[in-house]
Amino acid sequence: MDTPRYTDLVQTLPANVPFVGPEEQERARGAPFAARLGANENIFGPSPKAIAAMRAEAENVWKYGDPTSHDLRAALAESMGVATGNILVGEGIDGLLGNLVRLLIGPGDAVVTSDGAYPTFNYHVAGFGGVLHKVPYRDDHEDLAALMTRAHAVNAKLIYLANPDNPMGSWHRGADIVAALEHLPKGCLLLLDEAYVEFAPDGTAAPVSADDPRVIRMRTFSKAYGMAGARIGYAIGAPDLIRSFDKIRNHFGMNRMAQVGALAALRDMEWLADIQARVAEARDSIARIAAGHGLATLPSATNFVAVDCGRDGDFARAVLAALVARGVFVRMPFVAPQDRCIRISCGRPEDLAVLARALPEALAEARG
């Protein structure tokens, strides 16, 4: 039988995905989750103004979206005090990551990241034949100094750093990131994933010039703006780098409704402030629920909380499995010693009430 002639690289790749979606897990378990607290979605939802804008635009869905995302890029540039040429809009941070790796990384090229950091980035690097060099976390933070040191040692073309971090919720001061740039190898690009920066304390966002060719920052409407299903993110970088994406990106990848929804969401600062307050309350609630059963939580600058289960990864996996069996969708870090934790996304009071009921039973089962 004739078969497609896959590339040599593709034939070496495992047939897997970075994450198994909650819908697939629901199909496997034969029931929906009672509390969806695993994907770091903003369960409080998007601005009503964004919903209204997307509904109004639905009648124009017969048109392709603006391939330049002009209006949204202009609004983002104005809000950040940069030029429109510094902004790129794409299919969420995941899509932007894939295009950045495609631009920079070929077979054998060195890339540095943290062991246990966002696996979708690793997925893209592997897909283009790059070689991943990983450094461990230090005190549940990505180790900025170690990343720079390893990048020098392997002649890396790209470094990945999430600030705030997923999956631990930790963060670096922006000023420390700027200082670390003095140790960035020549010809190496620092990729700052700032997906959660709207939840972080003041001073977390690195005060890097948008024209600095050493850095590209990526942000999203999936988290604080509650539009994960719309798949819309953006990058901030030097104009030459931003223009280079035009060589390889999907020019009609952004749908019209996502563009107008994001524009409306960006302008609704009152809703964003309300979401930030609700997330802070939910983080406190998760900490109280965990503490009530003898578990510690890590400080978080995100819309999730890493709960330290107090033992090793096997025990944490048992707790997670028991929660899932009770209808609570959660996830956990993949690498020791961070895998002693489970990661719980912020939710509404009714979602956290489900967690509060399930957690003691899950712990008892895991301990048994």
Side-chain angles (χ1 to χ4, degrees):
M1 180 182 295
D2 289 337
T3 59
R5 292 182 291 176
Y6 299 108
T7 67
D8 292 342
L9 174 59
V10 165
Q11 292 189 73
T12 69
L13 298 174
N16 62 9
V17 296
F19 298 103
V20 177
E23 292 82 5
E24 187 170 345
Q25 294 186 49
E26 288 175 331
R27 288 189 290 270
R29 64 190 299 269
F33 286 114
R36 182 168 166 140
L37 301 173
N40 300 342
E41 298 151 323
N42 178 354
I43 200 168
F44 304 109
S47 161
K49 295 178 181 178
I51 295 172
M54 288 187 284
R55 283 177 175 158
E57 190 63 25
E59 66 182 37
N60 292 318
V61 75
W62 60 273
K63 302 177 185 177
Y64 289 111
D66 176 1
T68 70
S69 300
H70 175 273
D71 292 349
L72 179 58
R73 287 173 58 234
L76 285 164
E78 181 180 4
S79 72
M80 301 187 73
V82 302
T84 305
N86 293 119
I87 303 291
L88 172 73
V89 170
E91 302 98 321
I93 286 182
D94 289 356
L96 292 167
L97 289 175
N99 281 335
L100 179 67
V101 172
R102 183 181 175 189
L103 276 176
L104 298 181
I105 304 303
D109 285 338
V111 178
V112 171
T113 186
S114 301
D115 193 12
Y118 192 44
T120 299
F121 174 71
N122 302 350
Y123 168 83
H124 287 305
V125 172
F128 288 101
V131 178
L132 284 161
H133 299 267
K134 301 179 181 180
V135 301
Y137 278 61
R138 179 165 56 87
D139 299 328
D140 295 321
H141 289 69
E142 292 195 69
D143 190 336
L144 188 53
L147 289 168
M148 295 294 180
T149 299
R150 182 62 61 86
H152 276 281
V154 300
N155 191 28
K157 295 179 74 174
L158 184 61
I159 298 174
Y160 175 89
L161 173 70
N163 191 49
D165 174 67
N166 177 16
M168 305 313 294
S170 53
W171 67 98
H172 292 279
R173 293 190 315 129
D176 293 337
I177 293 174
V178 171
L181 288 175
E182 298 307 312
H183 305 286
L184 185 72
K186 184 177 181 180
C188 183
L189 182 71
L190 176 63
L191 162 59
L192 279 178
D193 182 338
E194 297 180 330
Y196 299 95
V197 74
E198 288 88 359
F199 300 117
D202 289 343
T204 300
V208 179
S209 169
D211 292 324
D212 192 327
R214 300 173 297 175
V215 180
I216 186 169
R217 289 175 283 163
M218 294 185 179
R219 295 184 180 181
T220 185
F221 284 87
S222 295
K223 306 302 179 184
Y225 293 99
M227 296 178 61
R231 307 312 303 130
I232 189 159
Y234 59 101
I236 309 101
D240 285 347
L241 176 57
I242 295 300
R243 280 194 299 269
S244 294
F245 280 83
D246 282 340
K247 299 177 181 181
I248 50 93
R249 71 181 178 91
N250 179 0
H251 286 256
F252 288 94
M254 299 309 306
N255 73 74
R256 298 184 66 87
M257 288 181 285
Q259 292 182 46
V260 301
L263 184 58
L266 182 67
R267 291 170 171 165
D268 193 350
M269 298 304 295
E270 184 177 349
W271 182 261
L272 176 62
D274 182 61
I275 291 299
Q276 291 166 328
R278 292 197 214 182
V279 165
E281 291 174 4
R283 287 193 304 231
D284 290 343
S285 295
I286 293 169
R288 284 194 298 271
I289 292 168
H293 301 287
L295 304 182
T297 53
L298 277 61
S300 174
T302 66
N303 68 333
F304 62 83
V305 176
V307 177
D308 190 336
C309 292
R311 298 190 190 180
D312 60 9
D314 288 340
F315 178 73
R317 278 182 283 275
V319 174
L320 183 145
L323 285 170
V324 168
R326 288 162 175 79
V328 181
F329 170 52
V330 294
R331 284 190 171 131
M332 63 180 291
F334 298 145
V335 175
Q338 283 70 46
D339 68 348
R340 71 189 190 279
C341 300
I342 57 173
R343 193 196 67 188
I344 301 175
S345 302
C346 292
R348 302 163 298 186
E350 57 265 37
D351 303 305
L352 299 184
V354 175
L355 172 69
R357 291 193 296 270
L359 183 59
E361 297 176 4
L363 288 168
E365 180 178 323
R367 289 165 178 158

